[in-house]
Amino acid sequence: MTRMVSKRLVLKSLAGTAAASLLAPLSWAQTFPAKLVSLVVPYPAGGGSDVVARGLTGQMTKALGQTVIVENQGGASGTIAAQKLLNAPADGHNVYVGSPNELILAPMAIAAAKFKSEDFRLVQKVGNFTLAALVPSALPVSNMDELIAYAARRAKEGKPLTYGSVGNGSIFHLLGEQLSKVTGVPMIHVPYRGGAPMTQDLVGGQIDLYLGAMGANSPGMVAAGKLKLLAIISPERLDTYRNVPSVRDSRSLQDFTYSLWVGLFVRKGTPELVVHALHKATTSAMADPALAHVAEGAQIVLAQPQTLAQAEQVYTESVAQFRAIAKSIHLKAE
C-alpha cells in the first residue's frame, strides 16, 4: 500500500515537472521581449544591411516596448555573426540582419562555416539591393551588348576581361561566373577582401567589370565620370535609375536578372509567438517614411511587407536559385 502511494506521488511529480517544462517556453514567449533585442549585422557600420537595421530600431523599439539595438559582428563573409546567432538561445532576442549572400552562399563557399541555410527562418524581407553592371570610364563600351562583344574579342586575343567581387562564393562572384557561362566568354575572377579596395581598383582600371550591388558612393562616381553604369540587373530599381537600361534590354542577356535582398532572420525553432511579435514589429517599422529615405541613400529599394508564409516562400526560392547557380559553376568550399 505504502509502495503504491509512493509510486503515485513520484509519477505525479514527474508529470508536473514535464508539464512545467512544456509550459515554460510558452510562458516567456508570451512576455517577449524580456530584455533588449539585438539586430546583429554581419558587417561593420556603414553598409547597406547596417543602414537598414539602424533605420528599423526606433519604430521596432516602440512596437516591442523594449530597446532594440544594432550590434555589428563583421568577419568571414557573415559567418561569424551567423554562428553567434546559432550559439544564442532561440528566444528572438538576437535577430540576424542579412541576405542570401551570408546565409545561402557563404556556407557553400567557406569550409569553416558549420551551419546550413535551413538553420535560419526569415521573419520579414525588408529591401532589395540595386544590382548593376559597372565598368571603368575608360572601357570602350556603353551597354551590355557592347560589353559582351568586347569581352569576346579580348578573350580571343588571350586577354580576357577581369571582374571583381568581395570574395569567393559571394553573389558578385557567382554573377560573374554566370555571365561567363551564359555568353560562352571566358573571364577572370579577381576576389577582394571588401568593397572599398575593389571599387578603388575598378575606378583605376585594374579590373574591368563589377556585377553587384550599388553602394552609397556609386551614384556619385557615375555622375563624376569615374565609372560607367551599363545596366540594372535587378528587377527592382530606384527612381534614380528609371532612365538606365535594364539588362533585359540587351539582345544577349534578357534572362540575366537576379535579386539580392536584405531581411531579418531568427534561429529555426524560435517560438511562433516570438516570431509573430518580431514580424509585426518589423512590418510596423517598414511603414515609417523615414526608413524609405535612409534605404534609398543606401541604394536599397524598400520591399512590400510580406506575411510569414510569403517570407518563407521567398527564402526557400532563394535557397534553390543560388544553390543551382553554385552547382552550375562548380563552386567548392575553401
Side-chain angles (χ1 to χ4, degrees):
M1 181 90 174
T2 304
R3 285 182 181 179
M4 290 180 65
V5 172
S6 177
K7 187 174 181 181
R8 287 196 198 101
L9 288 172
V10 170
L11 290 173
K12 187 176 180 180
S13 176
L14 289 173
T17 302
S21 66
L22 289 172
L23 290 173
L26 178 62
S27 176
W28 60 252
Q30 289 174 329
T31 59
F32 173 84
K35 56 185 179 180
L36 66 80
V37 175
S38 293
L39 300 185
V40 183
V41 175
Y43 299 104
S49 299
D50 178 73
V51 169
V52 165
R54 293 181 190 280
L56 289 169
T57 54
Q59 293 299 320
M60 286 187 71
T61 293
K62 291 180 182 178
L64 291 172
Q66 280 280 3
T67 302
V68 179
I69 65 168
V70 173
E71 182 181 351
N72 297 94
Q73 238 352 292
S77 298
T79 59
I80 292 176
Q83 197 58 58
K84 172 185 171 62
L85 195 78
L86 294 179
N87 291 340
D91 60 8
H93 289 96
N94 288 282
V95 181
Y96 192 93
V97 184
S99 73
N101 210 38
E102 302 87 37
L103 298 185
I104 301 175
L105 297 177
M108 293 188 286
I110 300 174
K114 303 302 180 185
F115 63 87
K116 56 185 183 296
S117 306
E118 288 79 6
D119 293 332
F120 297 86
R121 179 179 180 182
L122 178 62
V123 174
Q124 182 67 277
K125 175 182 170 182
V126 179
N128 300 283
F129 291 96
T130 303
L131 299 182
L134 290 164
V135 298
S137 57
L139 205 73
V141 299
S142 58
N143 57 54
M144 293 302 288
D145 289 321
E146 290 180 5
L147 174 70
I148 299 307
Y150 180 68
R153 289 198 303 272
R154 285 273 300 266
K156 287 181 181 179
E157 294 168 359
K159 300 176 183 178
L161 290 189
T162 55
Y163 68 92
S165 83
V166 294
N168 185 55
S170 65
I171 184 174
F172 315 135
H173 172 204
L174 264 67
L175 288 176
E177 289 293 323
Q178 188 72 350
L179 180 67
S180 180
K181 180 181 177 182
V182 299
T183 60
V185 178
M187 290 183 282
I188 298 174
H189 174 222
V190 182
Y192 288 82
R193 302 188 70 167
M198 183 201 64
T199 302
Q200 184 177 354
D201 278 4
L202 183 67
V203 171
Q206 280 76 38
I207 55 174
D208 301 306
L209 173 65
Y210 167 63
L211 300 170
M214 295 281 283
N217 296 327
S218 300
M221 292 183 180
V222 172
K226 295 180 179 180
L227 293 173
K228 283 195 284 192
L229 174 56
L230 301 186
I232 299 296
I233 294 173
S234 50
E236 308 85 5
R237 65 171 61 204
L238 296 166
D239 287 342
T240 309
Y241 304 112
R242 60 183 178 275
N243 295 323
V244 178
S246 165
V247 70
R248 292 172 175 166
D249 297 328
S250 65
R251 293 188 300 273
S252 53
L253 295 169
Q254 294 180 15
D255 296 326
F256 196 80
T257 303
Y258 297 93
S259 289
L260 179 64
W261 46 266
V262 60
L264 269 59
F265 295 83
V266 293
R267 268 185 60 182
K268 199 70 174 285
T270 299
E272 203 67 21
L273 284 172
V274 173
V275 175
H276 275 273
L278 287 169
H279 178 265
K280 184 178 179 181
T282 308
T283 303
S284 174
M286 289 172 65
D288 183 5
L291 179 62
H293 179 71
V294 297
E296 184 176 350
Q299 306 301 296
I300 293 172
V301 183
L302 203 61
Q304 290 296 316
Q306 299 175 322
T307 65
L308 283 168
Q310 289 171 329
E312 182 177 7
Q313 183 178 357
V314 164
Y315 191 43
T316 299
E317 290 174 353
S318 291
V319 169
Q321 180 191 35
F322 287 115
R323 282 181 177 170
I325 297 174
K327 183 178 180 180
S328 73
I329 66 170
H330 308 293
L331 178 67
K332 294 182 179 179
E334 296 180 358

